[in-house]
Amino acid sequence: MPRPWPTTPPTADERSAYADAVPRSFWLDGLPARDASPALAREARASLCIVGGGFTGLWAAIHAKADDPARDIVVLEGDVVGSAASGRNGGFCIASLTHGIDHGLARFPEEIDTLVRLGLENFDGLVADLDRLSIDCDFQPTGELSVALEPHELDWLQEEADLLGRFGHDAVVLDRDALQAQIASPTYLGGVWDRTGAAVLDPGKLVEGLRRAAIASGVRIYEGTTVEGIEPTPRGLRLVTGAGAVEAERVLLATGAHRSLLGAVRARIAPVYDYVLVTEPLTTEQRASIGWADGQGIADSANQFHYYRLTADGRILWGGYDAVYRWRGPVDARFDERDASFARLSQHFFTTFPQLRGLRFSHRWGGAIDTCSRFSVFFGTAYDGRLAYATGYTGLGVCATRFGARVALDLVDGRASEATGLQYVARKPVPFPPEPLRSAAIRLTQRGLAAADARGGRRGRWLRTLDRLGVGFDS
């Protein structure tokens, strides 16, 4: 049996609710218009060249300048800063570095205490940086609410709360009545509210704030500049672009789901597409009908899950459930629209909040997530340590990118730290097989996860095999 979602196709009303939605990230659509930074059209030199103008690249640039204000830093961005995952995610800012404590325990049991602490310290450091850099990104430390929609998920709630409490989190179990008093939905059976190290924010405002802070510190940013190759030189590395090049002593790759310049990274990243809807602002009556006074970020507890939250102007962002991998993993704007996913999201939204039927969606979009098999950022170096990278956040990058940038900087500068000494940093995820096995394995895994949801959480042989191999498809 399926989860609480309808087995019939979406209705005409559910489809029409998003028909006129703007096909663009709500976060990016809300930013003030600005002129793009110029593209690189000449030969340039830098002490550090960062490839990728998303969260990781910008955090790295800002922290490298804080370490050494005299350091000459260049950021190369193929499109405009924040145009990829950094500007189109859900805006969940979560302290975990391991996609949850239970996932971290399964993968890094000897280091989990350190990883939880480092994650919380990184969360606090992000909050401090927002204040230091005067970045207003509608940061709200609302906590994260995990909701049970099926009876078998109720058995997990106390275990989850106990595990969170063991590692110092303030977590409370909500039974059906307590949860309904928080947020009114006929699908809710119970939940766990983790009130430690979890917030929501506007990722568009964050990435724009980071861009401004980087430029103010003296970082040079070139937009519309795609790196086509890397060449070793006696002084470092030469990054070749369409109309110029940068020769740098050190290079930091922060390219996410886009095709990496390194084959070792390409083998470990599967670009998986995720889709999102955002509603029009709710009226006072509509907001009263659902409650949600504390504004928690919410995710349901299944393998195929939705994530959703309120925006600062009273909309609901609703995303997830589908995770679409395409043959050979292309990343292209033509895949940002997928009607089947939008229709399913709309249907599930109105199943969750039937009292909001008639509400329309103002924005719809999709984009690629840099998925790796361990479901958390991984690191590495190349070219005799002159290049370092951090990638594979698998949808948990809003907060973790700050940590990833810091670790990658330490690696490329040859600087030992508590984090660089961890197996979490030294070990890499299991690579995906080449096509056609990659597509077949991902499809088989997705079917196994859906089947586990339908069988009361019981994992089949394929998923149990992945678990034994340390592959992270249990989040």
Side-chain angles (χ1 to χ4, degrees):
M1 290 291 292
R3 308 192 68 248
W5 314 122
T7 57
T8 55
T11 66
D13 285 345
E14 289 163 345
R15 289 182 177 277
S16 68
Y18 64 84
D20 298 326
V22 175
R24 176 171 166 79
S25 164
F26 167 74
W27 313 117
L28 298 179
D29 203 39
L31 293 177
R34 68 168 177 86
D35 293 330
S37 297
L40 181 69
R42 58 182 178 82
E43 296 283 326
R45 293 186 182 277
S47 171
L48 173 66
C49 183
I50 298 169
V51 184
F55 286 144
T56 299
L58 294 174
W59 279 122
I62 289 167
H63 280 259
K65 269 292 189 182
D67 292 343
D68 180 2
R71 194 171 192 177
D72 186 18
I73 300 170
V74 166
V75 174
L76 303 179
E77 165 56 43
D79 193 345
V80 296
V81 165
S83 59
S86 296
R88 61 180 180 228
N89 59 81
F92 286 67
C93 184
I94 309 299
S96 177
L97 302 175
T98 58
H99 236 100
I101 294 175
D102 55 346
H103 188 81
L105 270 171
R107 302 292 176 261
F108 305 98
E110 300 87 359
E111 297 179 343
I112 189 62
D113 292 278
T114 300
L115 290 170
V116 170
R117 174 175 55 78
L118 290 176
L120 290 169
E121 289 174 358
N122 178 64
F123 180 90
D124 292 340
L126 183 145
V127 174
D129 278 347
L130 295 181
D131 181 65
R132 176 177 64 86
L133 300 171
S134 299
I135 296 176
D136 180 3
C137 59
D138 298 329
F139 181 91
Q140 295 293 327
T142 56
E144 183 180 31
L145 183 60
S146 178
V147 296
L149 308 183
E150 290 285 344
H152 72 268
E153 295 168 1
L154 292 172
D155 297 335
W156 303 338
L157 298 182
Q158 190 61 57
E159 294 177 10
E160 182 179 353
D162 290 344
L163 183 61
L164 288 165
R166 173 183 156 193
F167 287 90
H169 283 239
D170 174 17
V172 59
V173 175
L174 303 176
D175 63 17
R176 181 171 190 155
D177 290 342
L179 183 53
Q180 292 293 335
Q182 284 278 329
I183 304 120
S185 171
T187 64
Y188 292 171
L189 302 181
V192 174
W193 184 6
D194 180 5
R195 296 178 286 201
T196 300
V200 293
L201 54 74
D202 183 325
K205 290 182 178 179
L206 175 57
V207 79
E208 176 62 11
L210 293 174
R211 183 190 73 86
R212 289 177 176 271
I215 291 172
S217 71
V219 174
R220 291 179 285 156
I221 297 178
Y222 295 96
E223 295 180 306
T225 302
T226 300
V227 178
E228 299 174 352
I230 303 177
E231 301 171 350
T233 71
R235 300 181 59 176
L237 296 172
R238 186 169 182 267
L239 301 171
V240 181
T241 72
V246 176
E247 184 170 348
E249 297 170 21
R250 304 287 176 183
V251 172
L252 193 152
L253 289 188
T255 48
H258 288 274
R259 180 179 172 84
S260 177
L261 293 163
L262 299 177
V265 174
R266 292 197 295 271
R268 291 176 167 85
I269 293 292
V272 174
Y273 269 72
D274 178 52
Y275 295 90
V276 181
L277 295 171
V278 170
T279 72
E280 298 173 333
L282 274 63
T283 65
T284 301
E285 293 76 17
Q286 288 169 330
R287 180 63 184 270
S289 74
I290 60 172
W292 211 347
D294 291 304
Q296 306 97 323
I298 302 176
D300 44 62
S301 300
N303 294 303
Q304 285 186 286
F305 65 95
H306 304 88
Y307 56 86
Y308 43 113
R309 45 78 57 96
L310 294 166
T311 65
D313 63 347
R315 304 166 191 261
I316 298 175
L317 177 145
W318 178 266
Y321 198 79
D322 283 351
V324 181
Y325 175 79
R326 295 174 174 88
W327 176 263
R328 294 189 185 279
V331 177
D332 193 285
R334 69 183 187 274
F335 300 125
D336 292 353
E337 290 265 328
R338 188 173 189 263
D339 187 69
S341 291
F342 295 139
R344 187 173 294 111
L345 283 171
S346 180
Q347 182 186 50
H348 292 185
F349 176 88
F350 291 116
T351 301
T352 302
F353 298 121
Q355 65 269 50
L356 297 181
R357 285 196 177 272
L359 184 65
R360 299 185 67 80
F361 297 100
S362 65
H363 291 76
R364 66 177 192 255
W365 71 89
I369 294 172
D370 54 338
T371 303
C372 72
S373 63
R374 81 179 195 187
F375 272 36
S376 60
V377 61
F378 66 95
F379 306 89
T381 61
Y383 295 100
D384 296 322
R386 289 177 289 177
L387 179 150
Y389 59 84
T391 191
Y393 295 94
T394 317
L396 201 72
V398 174
C399 191
T401 46
R402 181 182 179 278
F403 176 83
R406 180 71 264 172
V407 171
L409 275 177
D410 289 341
L411 290 174
V412 80
D413 289 336
R415 183 170 46 243
S417 69
E418 182 179 22
T420 60
L422 296 175
Q423 285 299 302
Y424 175 82
V425 171
R427 280 166 36 192
K428 295 178 177 56
V430 175
F432 293 97
E435 297 287 13
L437 294 178
R438 174 179 287 210
S439 290
I442 291 174
R443 283 197 302 270
L444 187 59
T445 301
Q446 291 172 328
R447 290 171 185 165
L449 293 171
D453 287 340
R455 292 195 303 256
R458 295 189 301 276
R459 298 167 73 80
R461 182 178 301 174
W462 173 250
L463 295 186
R464 294 197 304 271
T465 299
L466 295 181
D467 292 341
R468 287 193 296 271
L469 292 174
V471 176
F473 292 101
D474 57 354
S475 292

